[in-house]
Amino acid sequence: SKGCLRAGVGLLTTHIPRLGYSIIQTAVPEAMTSIDQHDAIFTEFPDLSPFSAIGIGPGLNTKHNSKKALLLLLENSKVPLVLDADALNILSENKEWLEKLPENAVLTPHPGEFKRLAGDALNSYERIQKQKEFAQKYKVVVVLKGAFTTIATPAGKVYFNSTGNPGMATAGSGDTLTGILLGLLAQGLSPENAALAGVYLHGLAGDLAAQQISEPALVAGDIANYLGKAFLELQDESILTFGD
């Protein structure tokens, strides 16, 4: 949620289990909230008509009712979609649902999640080939996170990201990326451009944070906190534009 807000989303609604209400209000008071009927898990989603982009997965869990709700979301979403974490794990357990992915949805697996989705690879080259084929087959954008994150598009293009550092291999870093991508999609960037810009900004924010607090001390919240400086650096270099 913090990553999404810092990426310029404007108005964010975070859907949470009932018992998380006071936590999200305290931790991220700028976020609007949508409260699930269940105390502890995701089982439903609100009316989707007000939203220009949707992100799902971080902290989701893989309970039966959560799986059913994810399937309904895939079938009913008409806006750009980002899927991460447990949303990907649910898809890997129900591979027939991959056909229901909206065109140009953005998937952000780490290598373990991608292995469960697309199968094992003998080396990084074979993994990237699988990533490219997966993106083409299902007409989605696949952001394969790693030391050099790769972005594969439905057209068969593969991009390599140049920002980021080992300190970003910390819990929550990928969730922050999901939020950043969601924020950029909500501003009207195409899924491909949102993925390219979002991954670069995410890594740059991590690099700027590491310069100040070191790689070993880096936590996911620092990435969100340094996102503003990453935007300023790109603006200073006149390489940041929005829209297609």
Side-chain angles (χ1 to χ4, degrees):
S1 294
K2 289 181 179 179
C4 189
L5 288 164
R6 290 292 186 186
V9 69
L11 180 63
L12 170 70
T13 298
T14 302
H15 183 84
I16 54 170
R18 189 181 302 160
L19 292 180
Y21 178 73
S22 61
I23 297 171
I24 193 77
Q25 287 286 284
T26 303
V28 194
E30 299 90 349
M32 304 296 287
T33 54
S34 167
I35 310 300
D36 201 282
Q37 63 181 342
H38 197 282
D39 284 345
I41 65 171
F42 164 66
T43 65
E44 60 183 359
F45 50 86
D47 175 20
L48 301 178
S49 60
F51 305 114
S52 55
I54 298 169
I56 184 167
L60 192 67
N61 78 64
T62 57
K63 302 291 186 182
H64 177 69
N65 286 344
S66 300
K67 293 178 181 179
K68 289 171 58 179
L70 174 62
L71 178 59
L72 284 173
L73 181 67
L74 293 177
E75 292 174 338
N76 288 276
S77 176
K78 307 299 182 185
V79 297
L81 194 62
V82 184
L83 296 103
D84 184 31
D86 278 336
L88 301 177
N89 290 328
I90 291 172
L91 287 174
S92 70
E93 295 173 2
N94 301 272
K95 289 190 170 62
E96 67 276 10
W97 296 0
L98 291 170
E99 300 290 347
K100 296 181 179 291
L101 286 170
E103 192 168 328
N104 287 311
V106 181
L107 281 63
T108 62
H110 58 56
E113 291 163 343
F114 186 70
K115 176 182 176 180
R116 290 190 285 274
L117 277 172
D120 202 1
L122 296 176
N123 50 52
S124 59
Y125 175 80
E126 185 175 309
R127 185 183 300 115
I128 291 171
Q129 293 304 306
K130 284 181 173 288
Q131 177 191 5
K132 178 180 174 181
E133 292 165 4
F134 188 97
Q136 290 177 300
K137 179 178 180 179
Y138 296 107
K139 297 181 174 60
V140 295
V141 177
V142 181
V143 176
L144 182 54
K145 297 176 289 192
F148 293 96
T149 294
T150 49
I151 300 102
T153 74
K157 296 180 181 178
V158 178
Y159 299 89
F160 290 79
N161 185 56
S162 59
T163 58
N165 63 80
M168 297 175 68
T170 183
S173 176
D175 301 341
T176 304
L177 175 62
T178 297
I180 294 170
L181 297 175
L182 182 60
L184 296 177
L185 285 170
Q187 294 172 73
L189 270 72
S190 69
E192 180 176 335
N193 286 344
L196 294 173
V199 169
Y200 188 87
L201 282 163
H202 177 256
L204 180 58
D207 289 341
L208 293 170
Q211 290 174 13
Q212 297 297 316
I213 62 177
S214 81
E215 291 181 6
L218 190 66
V219 296
D222 298 322
I223 301 171
N225 290 338
Y226 276 81
L227 196 57
K229 291 187 177 181
F231 274 108
L232 287 173
E233 182 159 318
L234 294 191
Q235 289 172 354
D236 289 344
E237 296 175 2
S238 299
I239 61 173
L240 179 65
T241 58
F242 283 87
D244 293 329

